[in-house]
Amino acid sequence: MANQQLQPPHMLCLSIDEVMKAFNGAKEKLLMMMVSSQQQDHQSITTSSHVPMLMMSATHDAMQQYATTTSTLSRYEDHLFQMQQLPFNADIQQLRYYNNSSGTLKIGEGDVDRSVRSKSEGNVHGINKASSSPRPKKSRKNESVKETMMVPAPLVGNTEIPPDDGFTWRKYGQKEILGSKYPRSYYRCTHQKLYGCPAKKQVQRLDHNPNMFEVKLRGEHTCHMSSTAPSSFPITQSSNTFSPHHLPASSTTSLPGWLSSANLNTLGGGGGAGAGGSSSSGPSASKYDADYLVADLADAMFNSGSSNNSMEPFFPSSKEDK
DNA sequence: AAGATTTGACCAGC
DNA sequence: GCTGGTCAAATCTT
């Protein structure tokens, strides 16, 4: 296909290298100028007024490289966006894994002792709305957090949307949490109605790092056993029903959640019904992939250019209008 | 019309 | 009584 001709990961790496080289070159020039500026300190003040111009000149190459790379990235995002039509690409996976070396951090794995949901949950709609009888007793005693993950938020596009993990979720609540700046969102599996899938997750933006989400998973997906499970995406892995649940527990530590192949499994799943625009299951995973990719690159560029660890968006939001 | 999100209220556990 | 988790009516999106 035409997409394969681009070899985007390689192009991207090349561009990144070029940008880094350019920045480093500019940095060196800048240092040299500072040294020479100190040496010429006794000369007229007008010399120093040239420094900004020289700095601009020194960084000109870098900026040109940046512009080029931004353009490349933009095209690459488009490419990623189109990849939902393609078989799983090992290069992409490697690239994403590389970029995510500090991405998802699994910080705990509790007992998988999923609660026995004997109550009305899973049969929520058995509740007689019209009746004024009290709600059925809710029990959270046995609800244990299966695992907690730290997931990066996209820096471009809609950063308010929690990261896609390959499953479709329906938001059923949001709550202000004491001592937290950001509210916690509650999601349950979209297939809860149909298949009684008990999976739930909580998503909360970290106070100290708004670009990270803490995602707590509860329950296990049973819907992936069904025919509607997000497992039909053709991938060149050992199994075409690849999903997080098919991985050994330990592998979740080596395969970050946000780039798990399950992300790709739902590609092309289509909007279906509902408010797709702002739901966690709305945009395709590849859109997020592009977000993450650009975010990681931006971060890398920041870190390579200075010690500034700011997470401010670096790239023009060229894809905002998509 | 169907399904999703929003949001105030309800409920359970501590 | 406080807090977090869930419900469900209202509203929105497609």
Side-chain angles (χ1 to χ4, degrees):
Chain A
M1 284 194 189
N3 290 316
Q4 288 171 324
Q5 294 170 0
L6 288 174
Q7 293 186 327
H10 305 129
M11 285 180 60
L12 203 53
C13 291
L14 205 59
S15 298
I16 295 166
D17 284 343
E18 289 169 358
V19 170
M20 289 178 68
K21 277 183 197 170
F23 268 114
N24 287 333
K27 192 176 167 185
E28 285 179 20
K29 287 180 185 175
L30 212 52
L31 286 171
M32 289 179 65
M33 281 193 307
M34 289 172 68
V35 171
S36 87
S37 171
Q38 283 181 341
Q39 290 173 344
Q40 298 171 8
D41 196 34
H42 299 296
Q43 293 184 359
S44 68
I45 291 178
T46 55
T47 305
S48 61
S49 66
H50 292 197
V51 170
M53 294 289 289
L54 290 170
M55 288 171 65
M56 288 178 65
S57 172
T59 56
H60 180 69
D61 290 346
M63 294 311 293
Q64 278 193 326
Q65 288 293 344
Y66 161 65
T68 303
T69 302
T70 303
S71 171
T72 303
L73 282 171
S74 180
R75 281 184 283 121
Y76 185 58
E77 285 180 52
D78 289 336
H79 173 76
L80 274 178
F81 202 64
Q82 294 165 6
M83 283 194 63
Q84 54 186 305
Q85 306 300 330
L86 299 175
F88 188 80
N89 184 317
D91 285 342
I92 292 292
Q93 188 187 34
Q94 287 171 359
L95 179 66
R96 292 148 91 215
Y97 181 67
Y98 172 78
N99 280 322
N100 190 56
S101 58
S102 61
T104 301
L105 174 63
K106 185 177 178 181
I107 61 175
E109 184 175 9
D111 57 299
V112 190
D113 178 27
R114 184 159 53 87
S115 64
V116 179
R117 294 165 176 275
S118 57
K119 60 188 181 77
S120 61
E121 195 164 322
N123 188 23
V124 174
H125 301 276
I127 300 172
N128 185 356
K129 288 194 213 170
S131 85
S132 58
S133 61
R135 291 178 183 175
K137 301 290 183 184
K138 291 180 290 185
S139 174
R140 292 190 294 262
K141 197 194 295 186
N142 292 327
E143 295 230 356
S144 58
V145 176
K146 184 187 166 193
E147 63 182 62
T148 302
M149 292 180 295
M150 297 299 179
V151 182
L155 287 182
V156 294
N158 190 349
T159 62
E160 300 302 314
I161 302 174
D164 193 350
D165 59 3
F167 292 97
T168 54
W169 300 95
R170 175 176 173 176
K171 188 175 184 177
Y172 66 87
Q174 179 170 305
K175 188 87 176 173
E176 296 288 339
I177 300 301
L178 202 70
S180 297
K181 271 194 280 185
Y182 305 99
R184 179 178 299 166
S185 297
Y186 299 89
Y187 298 86
R188 67 165 68 99
C189 181
T190 302
H191 302 115
Q192 186 193 57
K193 270 189 190 177
L194 247 57
Y195 304 106
C197 180
K200 292 180 184 176
K201 75 171 178 181
Q202 300 174 0
V203 178
Q204 185 167 16
R205 199 176 282 266
L206 297 181
D207 287 346
H208 58 279
N209 187 356
N211 293 288
M212 293 288 285
F213 287 104
E214 182 187 60
V215 179
K216 290 179 183 176
L217 299 174
R218 296 179 179 215
E220 288 183 69
H221 283 280
T222 56
C223 55
H224 71 286
M225 303 293 289
S226 74
S227 58
T228 59
S231 60
S232 59
F233 191 81
I235 54 177
T236 55
Q237 295 280 327
S238 56
S239 167
N240 64 353
T241 55
F242 192 72
S243 84
H245 311 291
H246 295 92
L247 293 171
S250 60
S251 60
T252 55
T253 57
S254 60
L255 188 62
W258 66 269
L259 59 72
S260 76
S261 298
N263 275 354
L264 299 177
N265 289 347
T266 49
L267 298 183
S278 60
S279 93
S280 68
S281 58
S284 71
S286 59
K287 181 178 183 299
Y288 284 112
D289 293 342
D291 287 342
Y292 287 126
L293 187 59
V294 173
D296 286 337
L297 288 168
D299 199 30
M301 289 179 73
F302 264 122
N303 291 332
S304 69
S306 71
S307 59
N308 180 8
N309 203 24
S310 166
M311 296 294 279
E312 287 297 312
F314 185 74
F315 293 98
S317 51
S318 59
K319 63 198 295 294
E320 296 271 352
D321 52 354
K322 277 186 184 173

